[in-house]
Amino acid sequence: MARRDAIVLGAGIVGTSVALHLAKRGLAVALVDRRAPGEETSYGNAGVIEGNTIFPPAFPSDPIALLRVALKRAPEANYHLSFLPQVAPWLMQFRAASRPQRLIETARLMRPLFAHALAEHEALLAEAGATRFLRKQGWLKLYRSRRAFEALKRELALAQEFGIPYRALDADGARELEPSLAPVFRHAVYWERAASVTNPLAVTQAYAARFCALGGVVMRGDARPLRRVNAHWRLEMPEGPIDADHAVVALGPFAPDVLRPLGIALPLGLKRGYHHHYRGTGNAALSRPVVDIENGYCLAPMEQGIRLTTGAEFAARDAPPTPVQFERLLPAARGLFPLGTPLEASPWMGSRPCFPDSRPVIGPAPGQRGLWLAYGHAHWGLTLGAATGRLLAEMMSGATPFCDPAPYAAERFRR
Ligand SMILES: Cc1cc2nc3c(=O)[nH]c(=O)nc-3n(C[C@H](O)[C@H](O)[C@H](O)COP(=O)(O)OP(=O)(O)OC[C@H]3O[C@@H](n4cnc5c(N)ncnc54)[C@H](O)[C@@H]3O)c2cc1C
């Protein structure tokens, strides 16, 4: 039987960052995943390190926007009708958390994590020899209507209060930054302090390699048999069981598969999302991710091509892909940027793991000594991965956490 100080379950960006931070503190750690590091949700995101995020994506308050979603006309969202009864309670909680006052509260509670997001990645990227994947060129959000731009007022006021710099631009100003964009929009906001990576998979792989260089062990295996044996956590592996004082569940959208049998049921919802890579036609190129806000997609330049990512789809995690949002958004995307042919036969699909209050869970599992949770990072798993790794490792090792972890405690769902 192998003994370790900690078993980290899930080698996405979150679990790999936790494992690396634990190894940096001298713990003997096994990082277990059924796939190689970074190949699930953390593979396919838009690569944005959104340290300047203020409000989370919210439930539509505009009845017309809601009607468009209901009629399956909205490019930004889709749903499976058969899944609605299952997701309805989560949607009601998400709607309640989308009230203006609650959004402001969320922005304040999340600020300490977001404020550290980029610096923590920069530190890990440097020690992993992976700084070449980082692009510190901000990101650009585009608004086609004056109404959509004016709806930003509260968010921009809060950005000022938080000391987050941004530049409000017209179409000409935005096209100075991104000359390949067509002037089909009226307004833009340039968030200059955001960063992005050119290959999210390669970043997780680099963190995993650094973890191994520090003596950590990456293992292929199934996390579901995790159980408590006396004072330890035990995971049965093909090579024999591993025992550890600590186990960390960092399984993103798959966390309930392990937690439910242990009696831990937190209100995790999923927002499925897709991406497809395209070549730009001619010399068309982008220097940073660009979001078309009213159409709910992002164009992110990656090593693989221009990655077009979609908004949310409410459907069972394991139901077959239904990438219908591409048909709805492609006319707008092609009008904005000259996309060539898709580079793969079919789009990639992943699931954003989301709690209804748009905050992750980072900290001890309720009622289970030595079990720790790090999941539910929603639209910001890449952004917050490195900061989460540090925060959880500090909590597990008894160090003073760099920020108050209370807003991210699982206990908030028991009150
Ligand atoms: C289209 C899209 C665009 C996005 N864009 C951004 C963005 O620009 N910026 C940003 O910050 N975030 C973005 N996100 C969100 C981000 O990708 C996720 O929040 C993040 O990847 C979650 O990471 P994770 O490590 O928690 O989960 P995962 O990457 O899913 O890791 C969980 C791991 O658990 C493993 N696993 C599952 N079940 C088992 C089992 N039974 N046994 C063993 N291993 C198991 C999986 O193989 C996987 O490797 C986007 C998401 C999507 C879908």
Side-chain angles (χ1 to χ4, degrees):
M1 175 187 314
R3 281 286 325 210
R4 297 263 141 192
D5 296 319
I7 309 168
V8 178
L9 304 169
I13 186 65
V14 174
T16 305
S17 301
V18 171
L20 175 50
H21 267 285
L22 290 172
K24 274 156 68 81
R25 284 160 181 78
L27 274 73
V29 182
L31 175 59
V32 178
D33 199 299
R34 62 186 176 192
R35 304 181 68 172
E39 290 190 348
E40 197 61 66
T41 328
S42 300
Y43 167 78
N45 55 57
V48 187
I49 299 179
E50 302 181 44
N52 51 20
T53 289
I54 315 280
F55 289 156
F59 192 92
S61 56
D62 172 3
I64 293 172
L66 192 57
L67 187 66
R68 278 203 323 159
V69 175
L71 295 174
K72 292 186 176 252
R73 300 258 169 81
E76 68 271 20
N78 190 43
Y79 64 93
H80 289 186
L81 192 57
S82 58
F83 188 63
L84 281 188
Q86 236 173 297
V87 75
W90 186 93
L91 283 175
M92 295 315 287
Q93 290 178 58
F94 179 53
R95 187 165 170 244
S98 298
R99 287 192 205 110
Q101 208 44 44
R102 291 281 306 276
L103 290 179
I104 293 172
E105 185 189 316
T106 303
R108 292 194 194 286
L109 294 172
M110 288 297 291
R111 185 87 306 262
L113 267 191
F114 282 124
H116 283 80
L118 179 55
E120 292 303 325
H121 268 300
E122 284 187 288
L124 293 190
L125 286 165
E127 71 168 277
T131 304
R132 65 188 178 283
F133 298 114
L134 185 67
R135 189 174 35 200
K136 289 175 79 173
Q137 310 235 43
W139 72 324
L140 200 54
K141 296 189 179 177
L142 310 180
Y143 301 83
R144 292 179 184 240
S145 68
R146 178 184 292 276
R147 192 164 171 248
F149 181 66
E150 283 177 354
L152 269 184
K153 266 192 192 136
R154 279 181 310 139
E155 196 163 1
L156 295 184
L158 217 48
Q160 269 174 1
E161 184 192 321
F162 292 159
I164 299 172
Y166 65 86
R167 272 196 266 155
L169 303 170
D170 59 12
D172 289 343
R175 292 175 72 229
E176 276 176 31
L177 291 169
E178 294 292 354
S180 297
L181 297 179
V184 293
F185 56 94
R186 294 176 73 165
H187 302 277
V189 178
Y190 175 45
W191 296 93
E192 54 203 81
R193 288 248 186 99
S196 55
V197 298
T198 54
N199 187 337
L201 170 66
V203 169
T204 306
Q205 287 172 335
Y207 291 1
R210 175 68 186 147
F211 164 71
C212 292
L214 292 174
V217 183
V218 175
M219 302 176 86
R220 288 279 182 113
D222 187 354
R224 285 172 298 182
L226 181 77
R227 66 197 161 100
R228 196 160 178 90
V229 175
N230 303 322
H232 304 121
W233 289 97
R234 175 167 297 171
L235 187 64
E236 298 293 341
M237 298 285 284
E239 312 72 348
I242 322 174
D243 272 7
D245 292 340
H246 301 280
V248 179
V249 175
L251 293 159
F254 308 92
D257 298 355
V258 167
L259 295 176
R260 236 182 268 122
L262 296 172
I264 299 170
L266 302 179
L268 188 76
L270 300 177
K271 293 184 192 169
R272 303 203 313 182
Y274 299 84
H275 82 223
H276 219 160
H277 292 116
Y278 294 80
R279 239 186 288 281
T281 49
N283 291 332
L286 291 173
S287 303
R288 56 183 63 72
V290 172
V291 185
D292 181 349
I293 291 290
E294 285 130 295
N295 289 296
Y297 65 86
C298 178
L299 292 169
M302 293 282 172
E303 285 181 353
Q304 297 93 331
I306 301 285
R307 183 174 284 185
L308 171 57
T309 64
T310 69
E313 181 178 66
F314 296 96
R317 184 187 70 196
D318 302 326
T322 48
V324 295
Q325 282 159 279
F326 284 103
E327 287 154 34
R328 298 181 207 157
L329 62 80
L330 265 170
R334 288 193 187 284
L336 175 66
F337 180 85
L339 292 170
T341 46
L343 295 172
E344 304 93 1
S346 51
W348 169 90
M349 184 185 82
S351 294
R352 303 172 184 92
C354 307
F355 287 106
D357 60 6
S358 298
R359 283 184 255 153
V361 164
I362 306 168
Q368 299 275 5
R369 203 155 176 265
L371 187 65
W372 302 83
L373 307 175
Y375 74 107
H377 290 72
H379 296 253
W380 311 295
L382 170 67
T383 300
L384 300 175
T388 298
R390 176 173 160 196
L391 182 62
L392 193 70
E394 286 170 348
M395 292 169 83
M396 289 174 66
S397 59
T400 305
F402 72 83
C403 71
D404 177 9
Y408 324 121
E411 294 291 342
R412 70 187 189 267
F413 296 114
R414 295 178 137 202
R415 277 170 218 142

